Amino acid sequence: MVDRQKQAKLDAIAQVITDRAVDIELAKTCLNPVPGEGSANAALMLVGEAPGAREDKLGRPFVGASGKFLATMLTSIGLERKDVFITNIVKFRPPKNRDPNPSEIKACLPILYEQVTIIKPKLVVLLGRHATNVFFPGLKISETHGEVLKRSLHQGTQPVFQQMFLPLYHPAAALYNGSMRKILLQDFGKIPQILAIIK
Ligand code: URA
């Protein structure tokens, strides 16, 4: 698929989210839906949990304090936000930043699958325990952060495909914890090599 076709498909999905045409209460209570943004042709996709207050205000993912550190990590490997695709499992802010519940995750997951299916990134970085456990239930992030994992995915009637994932700690965990910051930067530093290996 050429980039323009991919972009048009991503835009169509973003429109569904922006129109709040998802059967989920959060779509009614949020200020602004947050579909995700970045390159339709990204080799790297980053998936967080759900929008926070600032994301909700601006309708953009990772634009608060966690987003600032995410941008720092991207810069550390020579990338910018525009080079990657950034989104969340849940596209609407849960009130008071509570964790999204299983039915909210279930309602939003097909959207994420579609985004992955269109972009076909080499690697999907799962930011934090919640994003990780959506794809790898029960997996302990403390034991598997920074390790590449593979899983088959499929969307509706589309063929099954193999997707590579990299679970990392959530950038928010590093905001007030220097050792966590170091671990995250170290894990993030593995990404260029991982991308170079994946065909
Ligand atoms: N935390 C997330 O998981 N996602 C965002 O977009 C912002 C903070």
Side-chain angles (χ1 to χ4, degrees):
M1 222 188 314
V2 295
D3 290 6
R4 247 181 312 125
Q5 277 174 308
K6 282 185 167 194
Q7 192 59 58
K9 286 192 170 196
L10 284 178
D11 290 347
I13 293 171
Q15 195 58 53
V16 170
I17 302 162
T18 307
D19 289 345
R20 304 174 194 243
V22 180
D23 188 15
I24 173 176
E25 198 58 28
L26 297 182
K28 298 177 197 155
T29 57
C30 71
L31 273 180
N32 288 295
V34 183
E37 64 185 32
S39 167
N41 209 27
L44 185 64
M45 186 163 174
L46 300 130
V47 180
E49 180 185 339
R54 192 157 173 78
E55 289 76 20
D56 187 48
K57 200 166 170 192
L58 300 179
R60 299 179 58 205
F62 282 98
V63 285
S66 304
K68 209 166 160 205
F69 183 46
L70 186 60
T72 301
M73 290 194 288
L74 284 169
T75 307
S76 76
I77 58 167
L79 294 175
E80 294 176 41
R81 283 179 71 109
K82 67 171 174 48
D83 303 319
V84 301
F85 193 87
I86 305 176
T87 190
N88 284 297
I89 303 278
V90 170
K91 315 298 193 194
F92 312 92
R93 183 192 184 203
K96 297 181 185 157
N97 290 353
R98 65 159 170 76
D99 291 343
N101 65 40
S103 72
E104 290 161 352
I105 291 172
K106 196 170 166 218
C108 287
L109 206 52
I111 304 166
L112 179 64
Y113 272 40
E114 275 190 56
Q115 290 172 319
V116 175
T117 306
I118 294 164
I119 297 170
K120 290 224 180 324
K122 282 186 177 182
L123 186 66
V124 174
V125 171
L126 298 168
L127 296 166
R129 175 167 59 93
H130 295 287
T132 299
N133 286 342
V134 167
F135 290 95
F136 302 96
L139 199 84
K140 283 212 161 67
I141 190 105
S142 55
E143 290 168 8
T144 49
H145 66 91
E147 281 177 27
V148 178
L149 304 170
K150 193 159 129 182
R151 223 205 87 164
S152 54
L153 291 183
H154 80 106
Q155 167 68 20
T157 53
Q158 305 248 6
V160 172
F161 62 97
Q162 297 295 314
Q163 181 62 56
M164 302 295 227
F165 293 91
L166 182 71
L168 297 185
Y169 284 114
H170 194 284
L175 291 181
Y176 306 102
N177 183 332
S179 56
M180 195 61 97
R181 187 181 167 93
K182 213 168 139 191
I183 294 172
L184 250 169
L185 279 163
Q186 248 168 23
D187 285 348
F188 222 84
K190 297 178 186 172
I191 291 175
Q193 225 181 343
I194 296 167
L195 291 177
I197 292 167
I198 303 172
K199 273 185 235 96

